[in-house]
Structure formats: structure tokens, C-alpha cells
Amino acid sequence: MRVAQPSRLFGAQRVSGRRTSPSFSRRSLPVLAMAPSQDTIKGAVTQLKEIIAKTHCQPILIRLAWHDAGTYSVEAAKQLPFPRAGGATGSIRFKPEMSHGANNGLPVAMNLIKPVKAAFPELGWADLIQLASAVAIETAGGPFIPLRLGRKDAESEEACTPDGRLPGAAAPFPDAAPTPAQHLRNVFHRMGLSDKDIVALSGAHTLGRARPERSGFGKKETKYTKDGPGAPGGSSWTVQWLKFDNSYFHDIKSQVDEELLVLETDACLFTDEGFKPHAEKYAADQGAFFADYVESHLKLSELGVEWDGEPVTLAKA
């Protein structure tokens, strides 16, 4: 079996009526808090689509959102007040969390969305990070995700979670799990997600590349990545690595192309008895994959969230 050996999937608290502004500093300057209107959301979506069209940045925007949300711990939430249990709170924008090893390269993603925040300051960071991910998936040919918006933002670096909560890709795993499947369960079950969620979310590896200079995985370039689009290089999981479909499951199952990446945490989806039925279903039925992916993505995007009033649901264009 050809298996390369961290996984890419990893992921504003209101004070006196105020939200924080963009910064990697200890504490941001506050701006007025406003629940996002549909006009604000529509404007932000339009600008995000323009940025994506110019830069082909869908994969890194998805990774940013997942790594923000993927720090959540169900057990920590029983003991710690919002937002210290982690989750989709925008805390990844602060230096301590952005400096985690699994977040290497993600300042690039933050810089890409800063102009959107500047244009629509009433849109919180946690919302913007998750919105960028949903737009990235749809513009790559994936399903529309009816994201809910109105998250409170983490207000300072005191909300940053400990390093080590995001998944690795190969042994030795940070949680000392004996197998890749157990490691994935340790990480995702900690968030309150299921085996089905693990497999569905893994399917987003149909987009993007692993770069050895960032993660230590993949090749410097392959025949599929040497000419871009975007910055050339890295190893992709699929041939058309800017197209959201179910190719990931086909390619991980067959493992016939040496130019494509297969991590230990990818390969186990077709060998672990709990994961395999879902992976087989998604390989055979793209519609089923899309439906389950939307459900799992929405769960991930709301981990650890507190709402600033009544949430507003993203309208389909």
C-alpha cells in the first residue's frame, strides 16, 4: 500500500456591545457590534468570490475555518466559559493559536480575507472565517452550505486553546493513538462529531495540496501541481485539486496513481470497519457525499459557538 505520511483538516465575545477588530496582537481595538444583515453578507460573499477567482485560494480558506473550529472540546466546555473551550470563535487570528504547528501557512489565509473585514467591519471574524470556507466550497463546484451567521468573536488571546488539539496525519500521533483510525476518533469525538462526520469531512481533501515546507508531507511538486494554478508545487490528493467532488474517495480507494497523496489518516477510511461503509457510499454516490458533507460541515462550523442575537442564515444566490 502506498501511504505518505499533518493532515490538512485540520478547522467575538461581545463586551459592552463591541467586537474586536483584525489583529494578531494580544487585544484588539473594539468596533461596534452588529448582527450581519443580508446586504452585508451578500457584499462579503461577492468580495470573497473575487479574491478566490484571482488567487485560487479555496483550499487554504477551508483549512483556516476548520482549524479555527477544530479546537473545540466537549469536556472543556463543561468546565470553561465561552470561548475558552475552543471552536469557531475566531481565536485563530491571535498569535498564540496561529503559531501552533498545525497552523503553519495559515497567516496567508488571514491576509487574504483582511480586505473583506475592512470593507465589512460589522461582520465578525468568526463569521467571516466560516463564510469564506463555505464560499470556497461552492465556488469549487461543491454544495451550497446554508451557513448560519452571527457568531460572537473571541476577544483576546486568552481564548486561545492549547496546542495539539488538531489531527496529525501519521504515527507517532500527538495523542499516542496506536492507529490512524483511533487518532481520528480521539480528535473528532472530542469535538462531539461522529464516525460519519469524520469520513464526510475527510472528503474535502478532494481540494488542495500538502506542502512539505509547511507540513512535512507530500512532494515538492508533482505533474499535477508543478504549474499551479496559484503558487506551484505540493502534492494533491486528487488530479483536479480545485474541484470539489467525490474524487478523493475514488483515488484513496484505488491508490493507483503514485503522483497523488495518501496519508495514513486517508488510507484508514477504507480499512477501518467503522469508517469503510461511509467511504464506500461516498465513492459510489456523489450526491450522498454532498448531502452528508453539508450536514457535517454545518456541525463543525458551529462548534463552541455563542450567537450574537438571532442567527442569520446565508441565502443562496
Side-chain angles (χ1 to χ4, degrees):
M1 177 181 291
R2 174 184 55 82
V3 181
Q5 308 200 18
S7 173
R8 230 176 10 98
L9 298 185
F10 21 30
Q13 188 174 15
R14 187 166 58 180
V15 179
S16 300
R18 295 180 179 269
R19 285 190 192 271
T20 58
S21 65
S23 173
F24 291 124
S25 63
R26 176 171 176 80
R27 184 176 292 272
S28 302
L29 295 175
V31 296
L32 290 177
M34 296 176 63
S37 66
Q38 288 292 353
D39 285 344
T40 292
I41 297 167
K42 183 178 179 180
V45 167
T46 297
Q47 190 168 348
L48 285 167
K49 287 181 176 178
E50 292 171 354
I51 291 168
I52 289 169
K54 292 177 181 177
T55 63
H56 309 287
C57 61
Q58 288 103 323
I60 201 168
L61 294 182
I62 296 167
R63 181 175 169 230
L64 177 69
W66 288 21
H67 283 217
D68 190 41
T71 59
Y72 181 67
S73 168
V74 172
E75 289 303 313
K78 295 176 182 178
Q79 306 171 40
L80 298 173
F82 171 87
R84 291 177 58 199
T89 68
S91 60
I92 198 170
R93 74 190 190 277
F94 296 115
K95 185 174 181 179
E97 193 165 319
M98 184 61 79
S99 298
H100 293 174
N103 293 333
N104 193 16
L106 286 180
V108 173
M110 288 299 303
N111 288 334
L112 285 168
I113 64 173
K114 280 182 178 179
V116 185
K117 177 63 174 172
F120 302 97
E122 64 272 30
L123 187 62
W125 274 109
D127 276 348
L128 175 56
I129 289 168
Q130 297 303 320
L131 180 63
S133 176
V135 172
I137 288 163
E138 188 177 15
T139 59
F144 168 74
I145 298 172
L147 197 73
R148 294 199 298 171
L149 301 166
R151 293 164 182 76
K152 294 180 181 179
D153 282 341
E155 66 171 24
S156 77
E157 67 181 35
E158 293 173 359
C160 295
T161 56
D163 199 356
R165 287 191 178 181
L166 297 171
F173 296 106
D175 58 348
T179 66
Q182 186 58 54
H183 171 64
L184 288 176
R185 289 191 173 95
N186 289 348
V187 172
F188 285 88
H189 290 184
R190 185 207 70 225
M191 301 178 206
L193 300 178
S194 67
D195 280 6
K196 184 178 79 171
D197 295 323
I198 292 171
V199 182
L201 291 170
S202 294
H205 272 151
T206 195
L207 296 180
R209 301 161 284 174
R211 295 181 178 273
E213 69 273 18
R214 292 181 181 175
S215 68
F217 295 89
K219 301 176 182 178
K220 183 177 180 181
E221 64 178 32
T222 71
K223 66 181 181 182
Y224 302 122
T225 67
K226 62 185 180 65
D227 297 321
S235 288
S236 60
W237 285 260
T238 62
V239 174
Q240 293 182 285
W241 46 269
L242 284 176
K243 182 179 180 181
F244 195 100
D245 57 17
N246 67 339
S247 294
Y248 167 82
F249 296 103
H250 292 292
D251 294 334
I252 295 301
K253 182 178 180 179
S254 63
Q255 296 192 39
V256 296
D257 191 334
E258 292 291 334
E259 292 285 275
L260 297 179
L261 183 63
V262 182
L263 300 167
E264 290 184 8
T265 45
D266 299 315
C268 74
L269 301 182
F270 282 96
T271 59
D272 178 83
E273 290 304 312
F275 295 154
K276 186 176 179 179
H278 305 295
E280 293 282 3
K281 180 175 75 170
Y282 301 152
D285 187 342
Q286 181 168 283
F289 166 52
F290 277 18
D292 285 355
Y293 179 82
V294 169
E295 180 181 316
S296 297
H297 185 111
L298 288 171
K299 287 182 186 178
L300 181 68
S301 76
E302 295 188 4
L303 294 178
V305 167
E306 283 196 359
W307 301 102
D308 198 3
E310 187 68 23
V312 177
T313 301
L314 177 65
K316 189 170 185 178

mmCIF file of all heavy atoms in Angstrom, residues 8 17 26 37 75 87 103 111 115 122 135 147-148 155 171 173 186 192-193 200 210 218 226 231 256 262 274 314:
data_model
loop_
_atom_site.group_PDB
_atom_site.id
_atom_site.type_symbol
_atom_site.label_atom_id
_atom_site.label_comp_id
_atom_site.label_asym_id
_atom_site.label_seq_id
_atom_site.Cartn_x
_atom_site.Cartn_y
_atom_site.Cartn_z
ATOM 1 N N ARG A 8 -4.362 18.075 6.631
ATOM 2 C CA ARG A 8 -4.774 19.431 6.399
ATOM 3 C C ARG A 8 -6.073 19.747 7.110
ATOM 4 O O ARG A 8 -6.445 20.906 7.299
ATOM 5 C CB ARG A 8 -5.013 19.600 4.888
ATOM 6 C CG ARG A 8 -4.327 20.769 4.305
ATOM 7 C CD ARG A 8 -4.504 20.847 2.808
ATOM 8 N NE ARG A 8 -5.460 19.931 2.269
ATOM 9 C CZ ARG A 8 -6.707 20.232 1.984
ATOM 10 N NH1 ARG A 8 -7.182 21.406 2.245
ATOM 11 N NH2 ARG A 8 -7.508 19.336 1.439
ATOM 12 N N GLY A 17 -21.271 45.645 24.169
ATOM 13 C CA GLY A 17 -21.807 45.910 22.842
ATOM 14 C C GLY A 17 -20.763 46.076 21.782
ATOM 15 O O GLY A 17 -21.003 46.696 20.763
ATOM 16 N N ARG A 26 -2.224 40.998 21.289
ATOM 17 C CA ARG A 26 -2.839 40.438 22.481
ATOM 18 C C ARG A 26 -4.298 40.826 22.594
ATOM 19 O O ARG A 26 -5.147 40.024 22.896
ATOM 20 C CB ARG A 26 -2.065 40.890 23.722
ATOM 21 C CG ARG A 26 -2.743 40.405 25.004
ATOM 22 C CD ARG A 26 -1.892 40.650 26.219
ATOM 23 N NE ARG A 26 -2.612 40.273 27.412
ATOM 24 C CZ ARG A 26 -2.755 39.048 27.859
ATOM 25 N NH1 ARG A 26 -2.242 38.051 27.192
ATOM 26 N NH2 ARG A 26 -3.425 38.787 28.965
ATOM 27 N N SER A 37 -26.319 41.862 8.340
ATOM 28 C CA SER A 37 -27.513 41.931 7.503
ATOM 29 C C SER A 37 -27.277 41.113 6.242
ATOM 30 O O SER A 37 -26.145 40.771 5.897
ATOM 31 C CB SER A 37 -27.802 43.379 7.122
ATOM 32 O OG SER A 37 -26.761 43.881 6.285
ATOM 33 N N GLU A 75 -15.622 18.231 26.572
ATOM 34 C CA GLU A 75 -15.335 18.145 28.004
ATOM 35 C C GLU A 75 -14.892 19.491 28.558
ATOM 36 O O GLU A 75 -15.298 19.886 29.662
ATOM 37 C CB GLU A 75 -14.263 17.087 28.260
ATOM 38 C CG GLU A 75 -14.755 15.663 28.041
ATOM 39 C CD GLU A 75 -15.968 15.346 28.907
ATOM 40 O OE1 GLU A 75 -15.936 15.650 30.121
ATOM 41 O OE2 GLU A 75 -16.959 14.800 28.370
ATOM 42 N N GLY A 87 -13.338 26.191 19.410
ATOM 43 C CA GLY A 87 -14.424 26.202 18.450
ATOM 44 C C GLY A 87 -14.329 27.365 17.485
ATOM 45 O O GLY A 87 -13.303 28.046 17.394
ATOM 46 N N ASN A 103 -0.991 25.010 12.206
ATOM 47 C CA ASN A 103 -1.477 26.200 11.518
ATOM 48 C C ASN A 103 -0.409 26.852 10.654
ATOM 49 O O ASN A 103 -0.604 27.983 10.170
ATOM 50 C CB ASN A 103 -2.019 27.211 12.537
ATOM 51 C CG ASN A 103 -3.257 26.711 13.234
ATOM 52 O OD1 ASN A 103 -4.003 25.898 12.676
ATOM 53 N ND2 ASN A 103 -3.494 27.164 14.454
ATOM 54 N N ASN A 111 -4.470 36.939 5.692
ATOM 55 C CA ASN A 111 -4.179 38.119 4.884
ATOM 56 C C ASN A 111 -5.114 38.228 3.684
ATOM 57 O O ASN A 111 -5.457 39.344 3.258
ATOM 58 C CB ASN A 111 -2.719 38.097 4.427
ATOM 59 C CG ASN A 111 -1.751 38.388 5.561
ATOM 60 O OD1 ASN A 111 -2.110 39.050 6.534
ATOM 61 N ND2 ASN A 111 -0.540 37.885 5.453
ATOM 62 N N PRO A 115 -9.017 42.208 3.638
ATOM 63 C CA PRO A 115 -9.742 43.262 2.903
ATOM 64 C C PRO A 115 -11.255 43.141 3.027
ATOM 65 O O PRO A 115 -11.969 44.153 3.003
ATOM 66 C CB PRO A 115 -9.283 43.051 1.457
ATOM 67 C CG PRO A 115 -7.961 42.372 1.552
ATOM 68 C CD PRO A 115 -8.085 41.477 2.760
ATOM 69 N N GLU A 122 -18.631 45.202 10.287
ATOM 70 C CA GLU A 122 -19.704 44.688 11.137
ATOM 71 C C GLU A 122 -19.787 43.166 11.095
ATOM 72 O O GLU A 122 -20.469 42.560 11.931
ATOM 73 C CB GLU A 122 -21.053 45.294 10.728
ATOM 74 C CG GLU A 122 -21.526 44.937 9.334
ATOM 75 C CD GLU A 122 -21.026 45.881 8.247
ATOM 76 O OE1 GLU A 122 -19.921 46.450 8.381
ATOM 77 O OE2 GLU A 122 -21.747 46.036 7.247
ATOM 78 N N VAL A 135 -18.052 29.621 1.008
ATOM 79 C CA VAL A 135 -17.980 30.179 -0.345
ATOM 80 C C VAL A 135 -16.925 29.435 -1.162
ATOM 81 O O VAL A 135 -17.112 29.152 -2.348
ATOM 82 C CB VAL A 135 -17.667 31.686 -0.289
ATOM 83 C CG1 VAL A 135 -17.400 32.249 -1.689
ATOM 84 C CG2 VAL A 135 -18.827 32.443 0.353
ATOM 85 N N LEU A 147 -25.009 28.254 5.768
ATOM 86 C CA LEU A 147 -24.315 28.651 6.989
ATOM 87 C C LEU A 147 -25.154 29.626 7.802
ATOM 88 O O LEU A 147 -25.825 30.499 7.241
ATOM 89 C CB LEU A 147 -22.995 29.315 6.592
ATOM 90 C CG LEU A 147 -21.909 29.477 7.635
ATOM 91 C CD1 LEU A 147 -21.259 28.137 7.937
ATOM 92 C CD2 LEU A 147 -20.851 30.458 7.127
ATOM 93 N N ARG A 148 -25.109 29.484 9.120
ATOM 94 C CA ARG A 148 -25.738 30.471 9.996
ATOM 95 C C ARG A 148 -24.664 31.452 10.459
ATOM 96 O O ARG A 148 -23.532 31.056 10.802
ATOM 97 C CB ARG A 148 -26.394 29.804 11.196
ATOM 98 C CG ARG A 148 -27.566 28.922 10.805
ATOM 99 C CD ARG A 148 -28.475 28.659 11.979
ATOM 100 N NE ARG A 148 -27.807 27.942 13.063
ATOM 101 C CZ ARG A 148 -28.332 27.749 14.270
ATOM 102 N NH1 ARG A 148 -29.529 28.257 14.570
ATOM 103 N NH2 ARG A 148 -27.674 27.065 15.195
ATOM 104 N N GLU A 155 -12.377 37.605 22.126
ATOM 105 C CA GLU A 155 -11.924 38.994 22.186
ATOM 106 C C GLU A 155 -10.432 39.147 22.409
ATOM 107 O O GLU A 155 -9.884 40.223 22.198
ATOM 108 C CB GLU A 155 -12.665 39.734 23.293
ATOM 109 C CG GLU A 155 -12.340 39.216 24.693
ATOM 110 C CD GLU A 155 -12.923 40.100 25.776
ATOM 111 O OE1 GLU A 155 -13.906 40.802 25.484
ATOM 112 O OE2 GLU A 155 -12.387 40.094 26.891
ATOM 113 N N ALA A 171 1.662 8.279 12.313
ATOM 114 C CA ALA A 171 2.308 7.943 13.587
ATOM 115 C C ALA A 171 3.746 8.463 13.591
ATOM 116 O O ALA A 171 4.392 8.527 12.553
ATOM 117 C CB ALA A 171 2.278 6.436 13.786
ATOM 118 N N PHE A 173 1.401 9.714 16.627
ATOM 119 C CA PHE A 173 0.391 10.741 16.761
ATOM 120 C C PHE A 173 0.554 11.474 18.090
ATOM 121 O O PHE A 173 1.015 10.888 19.080
ATOM 122 C CB PHE A 173 -1.002 10.114 16.678
ATOM 123 C CG PHE A 173 -1.288 9.500 15.340
ATOM 124 C CD1 PHE A 173 -1.290 8.130 15.172
ATOM 125 C CD2 PHE A 173 -1.539 10.309 14.251
ATOM 126 C CE1 PHE A 173 -1.544 7.559 13.938
ATOM 127 C CE2 PHE A 173 -1.795 9.758 13.003
ATOM 128 C CZ PHE A 173 -1.790 8.379 12.846
ATOM 129 N N ASN A 186 -10.214 9.948 18.394
ATOM 130 C CA ASN A 186 -9.864 10.722 19.580
ATOM 131 C C ASN A 186 -10.074 12.212 19.341
ATOM 132 O O ASN A 186 -10.604 12.933 20.196
ATOM 133 C CB ASN A 186 -8.405 10.470 19.974
ATOM 134 C CG ASN A 186 -8.181 9.086 20.547
ATOM 135 O OD1 ASN A 186 -9.123 8.369 20.874
ATOM 136 N ND2 ASN A 186 -6.923 8.701 20.687
ATOM 137 N N GLY A 192 -17.243 16.146 19.593
ATOM 138 C CA GLY A 192 -18.641 15.770 19.563
ATOM 139 C C GLY A 192 -19.104 15.323 18.193
ATOM 140 O O GLY A 192 -20.316 15.215 17.956
ATOM 141 N N LEU A 193 -18.180 15.025 17.284
ATOM 142 C CA LEU A 193 -18.516 14.580 15.941
ATOM 143 C C LEU A 193 -18.456 13.056 15.857
ATOM 144 O O LEU A 193 -17.838 12.389 16.686
ATOM 145 C CB LEU A 193 -17.578 15.222 14.924
ATOM 146 C CG LEU A 193 -17.623 16.767 14.887
ATOM 147 C CD1 LEU A 193 -16.619 17.312 13.891
ATOM 148 C CD2 LEU A 193 -19.028 17.267 14.566
ATOM 149 N N ALA A 200 -17.020 12.089 6.070
ATOM 150 C CA ALA A 200 -17.551 13.135 5.190
ATOM 151 C C ALA A 200 -16.609 14.329 5.136
ATOM 152 O O ALA A 200 -16.293 14.840 4.048
ATOM 153 C CB ALA A 200 -18.939 13.567 5.664
ATOM 154 N N ALA A 210 -0.780 19.255 -0.038
ATOM 155 C CA ALA A 210 0.104 19.293 1.128
ATOM 156 C C ALA A 210 1.468 19.766 0.644
ATOM 157 O O ALA A 210 1.968 19.288 -0.384
ATOM 158 C CB ALA A 210 0.214 17.915 1.761
ATOM 159 N N GLY A 218 4.131 15.207 1.619
ATOM 160 C CA GLY A 218 3.999 15.433 0.197
ATOM 161 C C GLY A 218 5.329 15.695 -0.479
ATOM 162 O O GLY A 218 6.387 15.752 0.154
ATOM 163 N N LYS A 226 2.868 21.212 -10.572
ATOM 164 C CA LYS A 226 4.094 21.963 -10.887
ATOM 165 C C LYS A 226 3.809 23.288 -11.603
ATOM 166 O O LYS A 226 4.618 24.217 -11.540
ATOM 167 C CB LYS A 226 5.049 21.125 -11.724
ATOM 168 C CG LYS A 226 4.537 20.696 -13.084
ATOM 169 C CD LYS A 226 5.540 19.776 -13.760
ATOM 170 C CE LYS A 226 5.057 19.317 -15.131
ATOM 171 N NZ LYS A 226 4.954 20.443 -16.080
ATOM 172 N N ALA A 231 0.124 29.371 -6.503
ATOM 173 C CA ALA A 231 1.537 29.082 -6.292
ATOM 174 C C ALA A 231 1.807 27.625 -6.634
ATOM 175 O O ALA A 231 1.153 26.732 -6.102
ATOM 176 C CB ALA A 231 1.922 29.372 -4.851
ATOM 177 N N VAL A 256 -3.837 4.027 -7.278
ATOM 178 C CA VAL A 256 -3.123 3.581 -8.471
ATOM 179 C C VAL A 256 -2.215 4.657 -9.058
ATOM 180 O O VAL A 256 -1.447 4.365 -9.966
ATOM 181 C CB VAL A 256 -4.116 3.111 -9.556
ATOM 182 C CG1 VAL A 256 -4.895 1.898 -9.065
ATOM 183 C CG2 VAL A 256 -5.076 4.235 -9.957
ATOM 184 N N VAL A 262 -1.531 10.062 -0.377
ATOM 185 C CA VAL A 262 -2.362 9.253 0.516
ATOM 186 C C VAL A 262 -1.693 9.252 1.883
ATOM 187 O O VAL A 262 -0.609 8.703 2.055
ATOM 188 C CB VAL A 262 -2.511 7.792 0.029
ATOM 189 C CG1 VAL A 262 -3.440 7.036 0.986
ATOM 190 C CG2 VAL A 262 -3.052 7.741 -1.389
ATOM 191 N N GLY A 274 -15.459 0.784 10.926
ATOM 192 C CA GLY A 274 -16.439 1.821 11.208
ATOM 193 C C GLY A 274 -16.497 2.899 10.150
ATOM 194 O O GLY A 274 -17.566 3.462 9.867
ATOM 195 N N LEU A 314 -27.374 32.163 5.698
ATOM 196 C CA LEU A 314 -26.875 32.556 4.385
ATOM 197 C C LEU A 314 -27.891 32.199 3.316
ATOM 198 O O LEU A 314 -28.391 31.068 3.265
ATOM 199 C CB LEU A 314 -25.548 31.831 4.120
ATOM 200 C CG LEU A 314 -24.871 32.028 2.773
ATOM 201 C CD1 LEU A 314 -24.438 33.474 2.610
ATOM 202 C CD2 LEU A 314 -23.663 31.104 2.657
#
